[in-house]
Amino acid sequence: MDEQLIQKINKLQDAFATVGQHNPVDLPQIAVIGSQSSGKSSVLENIVGKDFLPRGSGIVTRRPLILQLVNIPPPKDPSTEPAEYGEFLHLPGKKFTDFSEIRNEITRDTELKTGKNAGISPLPINLAIYSPNVLTLTLVDLPGLTKVPVGDQPRDIERQIKEMINKFIDRPNAIILSVTAANTDLANSDGLKLAREVDPDGNRTIGVLTKVDLMDKGTDVIDILAGRVIPLKLGYVPVVNRGQKDIDTNKSITKALEYEKQFFDNHPAYSSKSQFCGTPFLSRKLSMILNHHIKATLPEIKAKVASNLSKYQSELEQLGDPQDDQSGGNANTVLSIITEFTNDFCMVLDGHSNDVSSYELSGGARVSFVFHELYANGIKSIDPLDQVKDSDIRTILYNSSGSSPALFVATSAFEVIVKKQIRRFEEPSLKCVSMVHDELVRIANQLLNKPAFKRFPQLKEQFYFVVTNFLKTSVFPTNKIVTDIVSMEQCYINTAHPDFVSGQKALNIVAEKNNPTKLGPDGRPLPSSRSSNSNSYERSLDQEMNLPKENGFFGSFFQSKSKRPTIMEPPPSILKASGVLSEREQMETDVIKLLIQSYYNIVKRTMIDMIPKAIMLKLVNHCREGLQKELLKELYNPEALKELMKESELTVQRRMECKRMIEALNKADLVLNTV
Ligand code: GDP
Ligand code: MG
């Protein structure tokens, strides 16, 4: 038997004990499961050959106990060296030679973590027992399965215990020691039931039958041992532990083992195969199975240790070294974070970002969308005449006559109205500024989600503050230039614009519409409806303006959503003519409307062209170029650095975990290399 191999595994177990619950490598061990009071702790004690486990009625084992048995040679000088002793992982260096002390320590530490009143905890206790009288083995004693909560136990005690047990036995490397009292029905065995769930083929489950001495006269476990009840590949071992009375009268284990041997030797049913019965046979069998198991799984363990080692090492590298500012490390880090942030900011705006998404517009494309879709369509949809009644035009005409030549009285009336309508471009233009601003904030927020900022939460906060402030202050000059552009258009109406329909031409168009040369079938001029006239003006003007009516550059991309963004559209108002206009008045009104539309379209084109340019200059490019300087000014100063570069709790903790894990894995690697 290869004692050394199992000792190696024990060392590995110790190596990983410091990393708590997250042991990345599944080490072989034997887990003892079964109903409460089926005799689990008694079996363990018999295997160890010592009284050291807390016992009593009810739930006594309330935390997993990882028990390493280590075979050591007998001491050369028994007067100075203890022959056998126990040592707890949580009390390193302290040798327990009095085994009742071990029991007290188990009880003390159990109560420390779970309270006195029957509470349970998955936190294991690690105990090693060194003795010439034990076989090197690793065993886990687990709380027994109970169904009804008592004391401080939670209502779902059954589920909690099952979960705790499952954590140990569902690893493929666990050997399951399933304990069933022989005086109960095997078919009802909780231990076998749980074992079967994780090991349906019974490849790693050993059955232990306790309390064979308590069976009714004339009954025995021969059928079970022969595999005729519930067969297990690794078989069953019958044992006889001390009964409650033996415990109460302090019957020694040596005596108990003697009694067990006699029981099987002399029992009519077992005497012929008594060498396959009892605790000593069980220990040998366990040791052999464990050894075999370890040999089979060692290569896998080696591979796992290696892969985990590199995984944790690269994570540690990514976390970076803890900040200490002896040599200006903080300053360098801030500098590179600022540089990277501003570079990324520009990249995203230019669409050169590494993670260009294929299903969502990002960065610069979104700004482009705001300009070419939202803004352009918002401007195009403004109707200069929807708020102007024919009767209003007539009033203005009358008010402004006298200062105009007889033929074309409309000029000043046209200017009054068109100036008022041009003001309407201001609101959507300012809205466009704020939308682009929002997009820039959005980009900044995306960049602030990068890992570097998770590590330094204060830095992230300050970054956010500086960036949003800078963006906000850039909005004011942008708004100013935008309102200025609208004011420029409003302040001077350029009737000499080459695209503007001239007064004479307008008059001709209106006259033509009102007196069509085409005749009807009766030889008289066809009556023409006013609405069709105004429609045809618009059509001809649209052609003249070359304003595309279709969906534009983004049309197909966003077809599924709203066809035309409505955000900027003013509420439609109803155009109502009031009173009856004379023919001349009507004609003059039509001419003015035609002029307004023609000029308005020119201004629309200017807006759609100029406002994005202004926003690019004053907001987008200003930020691109100024952000780095601003960040440096605000964040790159020696006093602020120390506060800013405080790492998050999470980072510090994770780094510690990684280090601990790497240490454990390195130790494990060392142990494995000697195998
Ligand atoms: P656990 O809850 O599964 O750990 O069970 P324990 O080892 O604490 O045993 C529960 C009770 O059953 C104790 O009173 C033991 O003395 C008794 N017991 C365990 N095994 C045997 C056995 O083989 N024979 C007899 N007579 N009593 C046993
Ligand atoms: Mg127990």
Side-chain angles (χ1 to χ4, degrees):
M1 217 168 307
D2 194 349
E3 292 282 311
Q4 265 194 323
L5 202 54
I6 297 178
Q7 281 191 26
K8 291 270 151 68
I9 291 296
N10 285 346
K11 271 194 189 154
L12 288 181
Q13 228 137 27
D14 280 347
F16 288 119
T18 48
V19 302
Q21 301 283 91
H22 311 288
N23 187 345
V25 181
D26 170 24
L27 300 168
Q29 53 192 14
I30 298 167
V32 187
I33 64 168
S35 315
Q36 190 174 307
S37 293
S38 57
K40 296 178 300 299
S41 298
S42 300
V43 168
L44 278 180
E45 276 195 335
N46 276 4
I47 290 174
V48 179
K50 284 277 164 194
D51 290 288
F52 68 102
L53 291 177
R55 278 165 308 165
S57 52
I59 181 160
V60 182
T61 313
R62 301 193 273 129
R63 287 170 60 188
L65 174 76
I66 297 178
L67 181 64
Q68 298 174 357
L69 306 182
V70 186
N71 184 279
I72 51 169
K76 290 182 189 101
D77 180 5
S79 62
T80 55
E81 282 174 77
E84 45 190 359
Y85 61 93
E87 193 178 340
F88 287 97
L89 187 77
H90 64 269
L91 296 170
K94 181 162 184 199
K95 289 182 179 171
F96 286 77
T97 46
D98 179 352
F99 277 68
S100 61
E101 282 291 313
I102 293 182
R103 179 186 306 143
N104 292 343
E105 180 54 33
I106 294 174
T107 310
R108 197 192 64 81
D109 203 59
T110 299
E111 284 175 1
L112 194 71
K113 303 279 163 30
T114 63
K116 278 192 175 26
N117 201 0
I120 57 160
S121 159
L123 199 72
I125 302 175
N126 287 65
L127 168 66
I129 290 183
Y130 300 85
S131 162
N133 309 317
V134 296
L135 291 175
T136 300
L137 274 183
T138 298
L139 299 150
V140 184
D141 191 17
L142 288 160
L145 287 158
T146 50
K147 304 211 164 25
V148 185
V150 298
D152 284 343
Q153 290 174 352
R155 306 201 71 150
D156 59 343
I157 180 82
E158 188 184 1
R159 192 184 57 78
Q160 286 203 13
I161 293 184
K162 266 191 185 161
E163 258 172 32
M164 195 191 299
I165 292 174
N166 265 325
K167 255 194 206 127
F168 283 92
I169 64 172
D170 71 359
R171 311 172 179 175
N173 269 357
I175 291 165
I176 305 165
L177 200 63
S178 169
V179 176
T180 312
N183 58 350
T184 60
D185 193 344
L186 194 66
N188 286 333
S189 166
D190 287 321
L192 282 182
K193 204 169 133 216
L194 265 188
R196 185 165 284 196
E197 280 169 25
V198 294
D199 177 31
D201 299 333
N203 290 327
R204 51 189 179 92
T205 305
I206 308 168
V208 177
L209 299 165
T210 57
K211 308 193 186 179
V212 179
D213 58 316
L214 295 183
M215 292 184 79
D216 288 341
K217 270 232 152 61
T219 61
D220 55 54
V221 290
I222 292 297
D223 274 354
I224 299 176
L225 298 183
R228 287 194 286 266
V229 183
I230 298 172
L232 285 176
K233 281 184 189 151
L234 300 177
Y236 290 85
V237 180
V239 297
V240 173
N241 304 315
R242 286 168 296 174
Q244 190 57 45
K245 201 173 141 234
D246 301 328
I247 293 171
D248 295 342
T249 57
N250 275 328
K251 184 176 183 175
S252 79
I253 284 206
T254 328
K255 281 236 169 77
L257 289 173
E258 267 166 31
Y259 173 76
E260 186 189 34
K261 184 168 159 41
Q262 269 168 21
F263 177 87
F264 286 114
D265 283 348
N266 301 328
H267 196 282
Y270 310 111
S271 58
S272 61
K273 32 187 127 6
S274 64
Q275 74 266 36
F276 304 118
C277 300
T279 309
F281 175 69
L282 178 63
S283 327
R284 284 199 305 277
K285 186 169 174 141
L286 284 179
S287 174
M288 216 171 59
I289 292 171
L290 192 61
N291 228 310
H292 186 78
H293 199 71
I294 290 171
K295 267 197 187 130
T297 50
L298 217 49
E300 194 193 324
I301 293 175
K302 271 189 179 175
K304 266 200 185 146
V305 166
S307 78
N308 272 290
L309 198 54
S310 73
K311 187 184 108 190
Y312 281 101
Q313 270 163 345
S314 77
E315 188 181 339
L316 185 66
E317 208 165 296
Q318 218 175 17
L319 287 172
D321 289 331
Q323 291 297 305
D324 85 278
D325 200 26
Q326 303 299 56
S327 53
N330 280 344
N332 285 339
T333 314
V334 169
L335 195 61
S336 72
I337 290 177
I338 290 176
T339 311
E340 190 177 334
F341 181 89
T342 43
N343 281 349
D344 285 350
F345 191 79
C346 295
M347 295 251 263
V348 174
L349 275 175
D350 297 343
H352 297 323
S353 160
N354 296 337
D355 33 39
V356 173
S357 164
S358 58
Y359 62 93
E360 188 191 21
L361 288 180
S362 63
R366 290 181 60 94
V367 173
S368 199
F369 177 73
V370 170
F371 288 155
H372 299 302
E373 282 294 304
L374 301 182
Y375 181 66
N377 286 331
I379 291 296
K380 279 182 210 164
S381 69
I382 300 175
D383 178 356
L385 296 176
D386 61 359
Q387 295 174 356
V388 183
K389 293 179 192 153
D390 281 8
S391 56
D392 298 340
I393 299 178
R394 180 174 51 177
T395 312
I396 295 168
L397 270 175
Y398 279 116
N399 288 344
S400 59
S401 66
S403 64
S404 311
L407 175 67
F408 195 58
V409 290
T411 320
S412 65
F414 150 75
E415 285 199 11
V416 170
I417 294 167
V418 96
K419 278 184 176 177
K420 206 171 154 207
Q421 294 305 311
I422 285 173
R423 206 17 74 187
R424 291 173 70 188
F425 291 135
E426 188 175 272
E427 193 211 310
S429 301
L430 290 176
K431 184 108 195 237
C432 184
V433 176
S434 102
M435 279 174 158
V436 172
H437 165 264
D438 291 350
E439 286 307 325
L440 297 181
V441 171
R442 190 187 150 105
I443 295 172
N445 268 327
Q446 266 168 5
L447 296 177
L448 284 173
N449 276 331
K450 292 204 158 192
F453 292 105
K454 286 218 175 68
R455 185 175 165 195
F456 306 112
Q458 259 109 316
L459 184 69
K460 177 177 177 170
E461 208 173 283
Q462 280 304 307
F463 245 78
Y464 181 79
F465 182 75
V466 173
V467 172
T468 48
N469 244 353
F470 186 66
L471 291 176
K472 215 188 283 167
T473 51
S474 313
V475 164
F476 299 117
T478 317
N479 281 345
K480 170 87 171 61
I481 197 174
V482 163
T483 40
D484 279 353
I485 290 173
V486 177
S487 299
M488 278 155 58
E489 290 297 333
Q490 198 183 18
C491 139
Y492 178 65
I493 304 301
N494 177 18
T495 50
H497 194 286
D499 294 342
F500 185 51
V501 63
S502 71
Q504 188 56 52
K505 196 173 160 204
L507 206 58
N508 288 346
I509 293 173
V510 172
E512 169 76 8
K513 299 296 167 191
N514 284 345
N515 303 295
T517 42
K518 265 192 198 154
L519 297 177
D522 55 355
R524 294 169 56 171
L526 279 172
S528 58
S529 80
R530 192 145 287 134
S531 65
S532 82
N533 278 348
S534 71
N535 277 345
S536 58
Y537 299 157
E538 274 169 25
R539 231 176 285 127
S540 62
L541 281 168
D542 273 345
Q543 279 160 9
E544 200 179 315
M545 259 195 84
N546 248 337
L547 285 176
K549 277 255 166 170
E550 69 279 7
N551 285 321
F553 177 65
F554 291 98
S556 57
F557 200 98
F558 285 96
Q559 211 136 49
S560 57
K561 297 184 183 164
S562 63
K563 277 227 172 82
R564 216 156 234 237
T566 53
I567 303 160
M568 296 204 189
E569 281 172 7
S573 62
I574 301 147
L575 185 65
K576 253 192 202 161
S578 66
V580 182
L581 292 104
S582 73
E583 208 172 297
R584 186 189 151 83
E585 280 169 352
Q586 187 61 60
M587 199 197 66
E588 281 181 336
T589 307
D590 286 348
V591 168
I592 289 193
K593 280 158 83 175
L594 190 60
L595 293 176
I596 290 172
Q597 265 171 337
S598 168
Y599 194 79
Y600 210 64
N601 281 345
I602 293 169
V603 183
K604 275 185 183 180
R605 253 192 298 174
T606 310
M607 286 292 143
I608 291 170
D609 184 45
M610 291 298 288
I611 296 296
K613 289 176 180 169
I615 294 175
M616 283 309 285
L617 175 73
K618 286 291 185 180
L619 186 59
V620 178
N621 282 2
H622 178 70
C623 290
R624 280 179 62 123
E625 279 149 26
L627 202 52
Q628 182 164 23
K629 204 167 146 201
E630 182 74 10
L631 283 166
L632 285 175
K633 192 181 93 194
E634 296 293 327
L635 302 179
Y636 191 61
N637 73 65
E639 271 142 64
L641 278 177
K642 213 173 163 209
E643 259 323 285
L644 287 178
M645 298 307 281
K646 262 204 191 130
E647 290 189 316
S648 74
E649 228 6 75
L650 220 74
T651 304
V652 176
Q653 208 183 317
R654 187 66 196 156
R655 181 186 295 115
M656 225 156 68
E657 273 169 23
C658 280
K659 279 191 173 159
R660 230 187 279 145
M661 197 62 98
I662 289 170
E663 199 184 321
L665 287 161
N666 271 329
K667 250 192 235 167
D669 196 46
L670 221 74
V671 174
L672 285 167
N673 283 337
T674 62
V675 175

